[in-house]
């Protein structure tokens, strides 16, 4: 990895990284990926997030779904752990709670493949500071 | 790809379920089928919307229509009007209390402005082990801006002007703390991050470190630039292995990018961070104890002054801030002091992260602007009390705080109001209690904790808290006297006035606040030998109702200590002298003949 030498470098780097992520998020539906974030703080892992994450990675590959599965921190919905966020190309992200492997299977088959919702969606109820 | 054109989301939170959201789902499905829309519209049960006061909630996607207080019989109108004809059902729309207008798009509802994520901005968004994701979300831009465009004093001025106060509980103005440390001259200074989160029920610092470690690293570097320190230390408890691991990964990545180390971003400024592990002693959250612990000494406090800003780690000027305080800093530098100070109340700016725990439906991590009321936090965001029980109290500030009751529900939450109400902000744990919690036992629980955690250096804390605990124990056993109640109060004040550090000075708070707010409960324990909440085992009696008992002998057969006697088919009796109050008999009785009195 090369060192970031100045603020200008850092800004340039931010732009590149931002556009990479934008491309991943907003790119053309046929080309871009399904993105899945698994909440992997201590509480999530304790409730089984690791198993869910491994299941998702394996099964998505087996079933031929182009997807990126990444870990993230606590989403704040401790009562509904494990929680995952699924972002289908061109759609708002949706958060699912109480995800075990059976629920994960449902999410892949129904939501990811068909765009059908499954029970246990957690509505987000906060403001972010982006674009403000 | 999506087969369905529309989705009807019905709230399946505990509150809404209690008011028939299952029936609403069923009716909506029926109506959808009746209109031959099964292939276009999907009805789905969701988690809690956090708007339980106005439940049950039905949200329509993709147009974001938000219907409140929906009844099963409204289903037909929603389907026929909204879905078939595209006309929203005005009478079910949420009405904004501010201007009495219907709000159809939930994105414009005031409710969704109740939580603002500043300190938690990246938690649950980015991969904490990937520095690129942090950089893509403006990461390390703040340190870049400070180094390139601001001098240390200008940077301190931004923090001062923002009104940020210490989030560890004390509420000391952060900018002022930095300024004091910056003015002390020394060959070496230190920046310390206090990640020794010790309050029972509090987990926001852990979540920030696990979800967004770079924000803390960046802020520590900014602080180092401001006060003239080149070394940073994170004092973190060894019980947080995942947080430690993610911090290590993050520090490693920052070093590789040259964002920690020598000559950061070509500015000539050097800064690096090391970790120090705590063994989990509560007193080490106090800054002088924390510093001693880092030096390899016993975690005991010393008298201030000298303050750490003057003589801290290894006798050098040291600035100690809490994790959440640091997490706010980069955003303030980038978005400006005015933006930050526009959020919150007059004297408490910005937001506060709370860890909601206890008898509340939506246990979780929330971030709310200062000035929000307890009612909004507990009944709207928190989804109300579990199992439809009655709210009794909320404990804030951990073992140093106090209990707030129904009369405090509408008080805006900020540092000063909470102290005026007999509690404190603390680090942000909020433990909600219902009618089944005995407040004497709650006070005893916290005292048990402080007795265990007292370092023993000063006698008021070491001996006084022990006496407080013993007196509370006596009361919960039904052996208390009215003199004991006076003694509790007097001793509490003596400890508060004479203890050496923050731990002892605040440890009697749970006793004082329960005495103030729940004196009746103490009286019931002392005078009537009764525990109104039915929690204190010594004060309970299991009694068999002779009329309801059919003499089936199930209870007698299951009693582990043979305290129940009686002939077959005749009412049984419990010998209270032998009974250990385990409750096995109540579970076995099919006739509800046994009760606790």
């Amino acid at each position: 990895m090369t060192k970031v030498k100045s603020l200008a470098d850092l800004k340039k780097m931010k732009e590149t990284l931002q556009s990479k992520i934008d491309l991943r998020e907003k790119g053309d539906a046929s080309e871009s990926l399904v993105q899945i974030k698994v909440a992997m703080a201590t509480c999530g892992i304790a409730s089984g997030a690791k198993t869910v994450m491994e299941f998702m990675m394996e099964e998505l590959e087996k079933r031929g779904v182009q997807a990126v599965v990444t870990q993230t921190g606590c989403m704040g919905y401790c009562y509904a752990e494990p929680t995952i966020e699924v972002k289908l190309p061109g759609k708002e992200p949706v958060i699912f709670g109480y995800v075990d492997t059976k629920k994960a299977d449902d999410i892949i088959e129904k939501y990811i493949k068909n765009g059908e919702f499954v029970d246990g969606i957690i509505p987000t109820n906060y403001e972010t500071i982006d674009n403000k | 790809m999506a087969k369905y054109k529309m989705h009807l989301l019905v709230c399946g939170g505990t509150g809404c379920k209690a008011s028939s959201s299952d029936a609403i789902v069923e009716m909506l499905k029926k109506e959808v089928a009746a209109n031959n829309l099964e292939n276009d519209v999907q009805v789905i049960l969701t988690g809690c919307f956090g708007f339980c006061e106005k439940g049950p909630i039905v949200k329509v996607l993709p147009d974001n229509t938000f219907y409140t207080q929906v009844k099963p019989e409204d289903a037909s109108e929603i389907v026929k009007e909204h879905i078939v004809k595209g006309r929203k059902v005005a009478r079910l729309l949420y009405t904004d209390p501010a201007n009495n207008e219907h709000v159809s798009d939930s994105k414009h509802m005031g409710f969704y402005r109740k939580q603002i994520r500043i300190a938690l901005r990246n938690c649950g968004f980015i991969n904490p082990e990937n520095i690129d994701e942090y950089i893509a979300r403006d990461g390390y831009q703040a340190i870049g801006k400070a180094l390139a465009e601001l001098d240390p004093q200008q940077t301190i001025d931004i923090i001062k002007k923002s009104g940020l106060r210490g989030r560890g509980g004390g509420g000391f103005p952060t900018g002022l703390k930095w300024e004091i440390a910056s003015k002390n001259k020394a060959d070496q200074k230190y920046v310390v991050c206090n990640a020794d989160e010790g309050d029972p029920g509090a987990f926001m610092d852990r979540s920030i470190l696990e979800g967004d470690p770079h924000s803390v690293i960046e802020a520590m570097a900014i602080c180092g630039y401001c006060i003239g320190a080149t070394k940073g230390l994170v004092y973190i408890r060894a019980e947080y292995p995942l947080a430690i691991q993610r911090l290590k990964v993050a520090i490693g990545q920052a070093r590789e990018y040259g964002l920690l180390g020598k000559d950061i971003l070509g500015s000539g400024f050097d800064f690096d961070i090391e970790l120090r592990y705590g063994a989990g002693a509560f007193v080490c959250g106090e800054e002088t104890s924390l510093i001693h612990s880092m030096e390899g000494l016993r975690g005991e406090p010393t008298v201030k002054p000298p303050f750490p800003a003057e003589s801290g780690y290894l006798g050098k000027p040291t600035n100690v801030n809490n994790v959440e305080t640091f997490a706010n800093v980069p955003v303030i530098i980038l978005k400006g002091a005015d933006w930050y100070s526009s959020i919150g109340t007059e004297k408490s700016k910005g937001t506060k992260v709370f860890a909601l725990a206890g008898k509340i439906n939506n246990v979780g991590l929330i971030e709310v602007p200062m000035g929000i009321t307890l009612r909004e936090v507990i009944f709207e965001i928190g989804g109300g009390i579990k199992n439809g029980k009655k709210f009794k109290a909320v404990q804030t500030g951990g073992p140093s705080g106090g209990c707030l009751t129904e009369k405090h529900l509408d008080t805006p939450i900020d540092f000063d109001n909470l102290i005026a109400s007999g509690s404190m902000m603390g680090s942000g744990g909020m433990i909600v209690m219902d009618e089944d919690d005995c407040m004497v036992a709650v006070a005893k629980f916290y005292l048990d904790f402080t007795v265990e955690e007292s370092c023993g250096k000063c006698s008021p804390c070491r001996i006084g808290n022990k006496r407080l605990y013993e007196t509370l124990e006596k009361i919960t056993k039904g052996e208390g006297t009215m003199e004991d109640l006076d003694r509790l109060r007097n001793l509490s004040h003596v400890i508060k006035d004479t203890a050496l550090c923050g731990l002892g000075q605040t440890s009697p708070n749970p006793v004082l606040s329960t005495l103030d707010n729940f004196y009746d409960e103490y009286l019931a324990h002392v005078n009537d030998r009764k525990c109104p909440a039915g929690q204190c085992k010594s004060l309970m009696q299991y009694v068999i109702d002779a009329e309801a008992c059919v003499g089936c002998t199930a209870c007698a057969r299951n009693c582990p200590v043979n305290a129940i006697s009686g002939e077959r088919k005749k009412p049984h009796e419990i010998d209270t002298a032998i009974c250990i109050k385990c409750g096995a008999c109540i579970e076995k009785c099919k006739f509800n003949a046994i009760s606790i009195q």
Side-chain angles (χ1 to χ4, degrees):
Chain A
M1 247 181 266
T2 48
K3 298 216 174 204
V4 193
K5 299 251 168 46
S6 65
L7 181 59
D9 269 9
L10 185 70
K11 284 192 168 146
K12 219 183 284 163
M13 195 170 157
K14 188 218 149 176
E15 296 307 319
T16 333
L17 290 167
Q18 182 70 57
S19 55
K20 243 196 229 166
I21 287 172
D22 275 357
L23 194 76
R24 203 165 81 189
E25 280 178 2
K26 295 171 194 152
D28 186 56
S30 59
E31 289 168 15
S32 57
L33 305 166
V34 176
Q35 286 185 81
I36 296 160
K37 290 178 189 166
V38 183
M40 293 266 273
T42 300
C43 36
I45 293 172
S47 342
K50 245 182 191 153
T51 324
V52 172
M53 188 163 168
E54 280 160 16
F55 178 86
M56 284 297 234
M57 286 170 139
E58 276 170 28
E59 290 303 312
L60 285 166
E61 202 185 325
K62 264 191 218 160
R63 299 176 201 188
V65 180
Q66 288 268 311
V68 228
V69 184
T70 55
Q71 63 169 355
T72 186
C74 174
M75 296 183 191
Y77 309 106
C78 312
Y79 64 95
E81 292 291 354
T83 47
I84 68 169
E85 185 191 285
V86 182
K87 192 178 175 312
L88 299 182
K91 293 208 153 189
E92 295 268 312
V94 177
I95 297 174
F96 295 92
Y98 311 99
V99 183
D100 50 15
T101 48
K102 195 178 159 287
K103 182 72 153 284
D105 181 72
D106 261 14
I107 293 172
I108 297 175
E109 287 305 315
K110 292 189 180 150
Y111 185 61
I112 296 178
K113 289 194 175 166
N114 285 322
E116 265 178 67
F117 282 170
V118 297
D119 285 345
I121 290 170
I122 299 178
T124 49
N125 53 3
Y126 55 84
E127 272 198 0
T128 62
I129 53 168
D130 298 337
N131 316 316
K132 264 178 88 180
Chain B
M1 153 162 195
K3 197 161 77 168
Y4 294 109
K5 293 190 189 86
M6 276 180 126
H7 287 100
L8 295 168
L9 307 184
V10 182
C11 179
T14 320
C16 290
K17 264 212 150 146
S19 36
S20 65
S21 56
D22 283 334
I24 296 171
V25 171
E26 208 176 296
M27 290 299 284
L28 282 172
K29 281 187 175 160
K30 251 189 216 163
E31 283 299 325
V32 167
N35 289 284
N36 294 321
L37 293 165
E38 300 105 308
N39 294 326
D40 300 308
V41 180
Q42 189 188 10
V43 183
I44 201 88
L45 205 60
T46 70
C48 180
F49 277 86
F51 201 56
C52 316
E53 201 193 358
K54 292 274 175 201
I57 308 285
V58 174
K59 187 174 173 178
V60 186
L61 287 182
D63 62 20
N64 267 322
T65 308
F66 202 83
Y67 290 124
T68 56
Q69 292 172 322
V70 178
K71 295 191 187 66
E73 54 269 29
D74 297 328
S76 131
E77 195 174 342
I78 291 175
V79 174
K80 286 192 182 118
E81 284 294 307
H82 189 144
I83 296 177
V84 180
K85 296 184 189 153
R87 293 192 295 232
K88 295 185 179 184
V89 185
R91 69 181 176 87
L92 294 172
L93 289 174
Y94 172 69
T95 315
D96 191 337
N99 53 16
N100 249 340
E101 275 174 25
H102 290 315
V103 186
S104 57
D105 187 336
S106 63
K107 289 201 167 151
H108 300 136
M109 279 168 57
F111 174 73
Y112 285 91
R113 285 194 283 275
K114 280 191 179 153
Q115 285 204 65
I116 308 173
R117 295 199 168 179
I118 298 175
L120 297 178
R121 63 193 176 279
N122 292 325
C123 278
F125 282 98
I126 63 166
N127 180 349
E129 295 187 13
N130 184 347
I131 190 172
D132 288 350
E133 294 200 16
Y134 181 68
I135 292 176
R137 282 175 67 85
D138 289 330
Y140 292 101
Q141 297 282 327
I143 179 75
K145 180 177 168 188
L147 292 173
E149 298 165 14
L150 305 165
D151 67 25
Q153 188 57 45
Q154 287 171 323
T155 316
I156 291 175
D157 287 341
I158 294 177
I159 302 295
K160 269 173 86 175
K161 212 175 141 216
S162 74
L164 176 66
R165 293 169 66 172
R167 296 291 191 257
F172 192 82
T174 307
L176 187 59
K177 205 172 191 177
W178 290 16
E179 189 165 52
I180 296 168
S182 78
K183 293 209 165 123
N184 287 316
K185 298 265 176 287
D187 53 346
Q188 178 67 58
K189 295 181 188 179
Y190 294 97
V191 176
V192 172
C193 173
N194 182 349
D196 188 67
E197 191 170 42
D199 285 5
F203 53 90
M204 44 271 142
D205 293 348
R206 174 174 61 73
S207 299
I208 291 172
L209 289 172
E210 285 174 359
D212 192 17
H214 285 287
S215 68
V216 176
I217 295 172
E218 183 181 4
M220 286 178 73
I222 295 171
C223 178
Y225 174 65
C226 289
I227 69 166
T230 54
K231 282 189 184 156
L233 296 156
V234 181
Y235 185 80
I236 183 165
R237 40 179 54 215
E239 292 112 311
Y240 282 179
L242 187 64
I244 291 173
Q245 184 228 324
R246 295 214 172 131
L247 254 179
K248 280 185 178 165
V249 170
I251 291 172
Q253 292 175 341
R255 281 186 190 141
E256 278 187 49
Y257 274 9
L259 296 165
L260 279 180
K262 300 261 176 232
D263 192 20
I264 295 172
L265 297 174
S267 64
F269 170 64
D270 304 339
F271 192 79
D272 209 343
I273 295 177
E274 285 175 33
L275 302 188
R276 290 285 183 278
Y277 306 122
F282 182 61
V283 73
C284 290
E286 196 277 340
E287 50 184 22
T288 62
S289 308
L290 183 152
I291 289 167
H292 296 315
S293 172
M294 289 200 309
E295 291 168 337
L297 304 171
R298 281 180 79 146
E300 285 180 344
T302 38
V303 181
K304 292 193 274 192
F307 286 91
E310 207 180 304
S311 170
Y313 184 62
L314 304 176
K316 305 291 183 187
T318 303
N319 179 77
V320 185
N321 282 131
N322 156 274
V323 171
E324 189 189 333
T325 315
F326 277 130
N328 279 292
V329 167
V331 193
I332 295 174
I333 303 288
L334 287 180
K335 292 191 179 259
D338 293 334
W339 168 79
Y340 192 77
S341 62
S342 68
I343 304 162
T345 65
E346 197 197 334
K347 288 189 175 152
S348 304
K349 299 300 184 191
T351 56
K352 178 78 193 88
V353 182
F354 287 105
L356 283 182
K359 310 271 180 70
I360 191 160
N361 279 319
N362 302 343
V363 168
L365 205 62
I366 63 165
E367 181 167 352
V368 289
M370 297 275 190
I372 194 169
T373 64
L374 274 177
R375 186 185 300 281
E376 290 167 294
V377 168
I378 296 168
F379 291 95
E380 296 183 9
I381 300 170
I385 309 299
K386 261 187 189 157
N387 303 321
K389 298 258 181 177
K390 203 168 162 276
F391 167 79
K392 187 170 193 176
V394 56
Q395 214 280 350
T396 63
S400 312
C403 290
L404 300 166
T405 62
E406 202 148 4
K407 67 173 188 254
H408 303 116
L409 277 179
D410 295 308
T411 312
I413 301 173
D414 68 11
F415 286 105
D416 310 288
N417 279 338
L418 285 184
I419 287 171
S421 316
S423 185
M424 65 183 275
M425 180 75 78
S427 60
M430 264 197 186
I431 301 179
V432 179
M433 294 170 229
D434 70 6
E435 53 193 312
D436 292 338
D437 288 306
C438 166
M439 301 316 283
V440 185
V442 166
K444 199 177 91 177
F445 167 81
Y446 282 106
L447 258 296
D448 187 23
F449 181 84
T450 23
V451 167
E452 190 86 355
E453 293 292 344
S454 169
C455 74
K457 185 172 182 176
C458 73
S459 22
C461 178
R462 180 183 70 243
I463 303 172
N465 282 325
K466 181 84 180 156
R467 291 294 97 80
L468 282 181
Y469 176 78
E470 287 164 359
T471 313
L472 289 168
E473 171 124 308
K474 198 174 152 197
I475 295 170
T476 54
K477 280 193 170 155
E479 293 159 6
T481 61
M482 289 304 287
E483 289 75 41
D484 285 331
L485 297 186
D486 291 338
R487 202 172 297 129
L488 273 181
R489 204 183 279 275
N490 286 336
L491 182 55
S492 293
H493 286 298
V494 171
I495 298 172
K496 274 177 85 86
D497 292 344
T498 55
L500 179 60
C501 80
L503 195 159
Q505 286 157 13
T506 54
S507 59
N509 285 352
V511 180
L512 288 172
S513 86
T514 48
L515 273 171
D516 285 343
N517 292 315
F518 299 97
Y519 194 61
D520 288 353
E521 249 180 79
Y522 278 89
L523 286 181
H525 282 75
V526 171
N527 291 336
D528 311 333
R529 306 276 182 239
K530 282 221 160 81
C531 173
Q535 281 286 304
C536 298
K537 273 197 169 182
S538 314
L539 298 176
M540 294 190 298
Q541 272 194 357
Y542 283 72
V543 181
I544 297 179
D545 179 356
E547 281 179 24
C549 179
V550 299
C552 73
T553 76
C555 57
R557 276 183 282 122
N558 282 288
C559 176
V561 292
N562 295 322
I564 305 178
S565 58
E567 282 177 45
R568 258 187 98 76
K569 304 211 170 158
K570 283 191 182 152
H572 281 46
E573 263 186 0
I574 298 176
D575 184 343
T576 48
I578 305 174
C579 173
I580 54 163
K581 294 152 192 169
C582 68
C585 51
I586 290 196
E587 275 172 35
K588 293 291 169 195
C589 180
K590 290 184 185 133
F591 307 96
N592 291 327
I594 308 176
S595 61
I596 304 171
Q597 288 181 354

